[in-house]
Amino acid sequence: MTQGDTVLVDDLADFRFFSKDCVLFAALCREDEEEPLVCVDYVDIERHLEFPEPNLKSELSGDELVITAERFARCTDCR
């Protein structure tokens, strides 16, 4: 494989139906012991899920507004 190629590792069809409150997490470990490749996906659309407060912080860095969050932040309002 070359950089940018993709390959199907597994298929969730074997699991049949599972609850929509699940989060899918996958880590593909590398043989060279470099950092593993990680993917997180939500089974339901994000607006249907409840997330903890992200604790947003904002600061001006030169002419850029930098917003950081401790956790996933969905639909943030920067008023």
Side-chain angles (χ1 to χ4, degrees):
M1 282 182 28
T2 60
Q3 183 175 358
D5 286 350
T6 60
V7 62
L8 181 64
V9 176
D10 204 349
D11 186 345
L12 293 177
D14 294 339
F15 291 101
R16 309 224 185 259
F17 176 80
F18 49 91
S19 174
K20 289 196 184 270
D21 64 353
C22 293
V23 173
L24 303 177
F25 174 84
L28 187 62
C29 298
R30 297 170 44 145
E31 291 179 1
D32 60 7
E33 298 183 14
E34 288 291 318
E35 189 172 325
L37 306 169
V38 175
C39 180
V40 176
D41 199 4
Y42 304 105
V43 178
D44 201 357
I45 56 178
E46 292 152 354
R47 73 172 182 232
H48 293 165
L49 303 173
E50 289 187 34
F51 294 96
E53 286 297 317
N55 296 329
L56 295 173
K57 294 182 177 71
S58 61
E59 64 179 293
L60 267 175
S61 178
D63 60 350
E64 293 182 350
L65 175 63
V66 178
I67 301 172
T68 57
E70 293 177 7
R71 290 174 211 67
F72 177 77
R74 176 183 60 83
C75 298
T76 59
D77 186 358
C78 298
R79 282 188 256 171

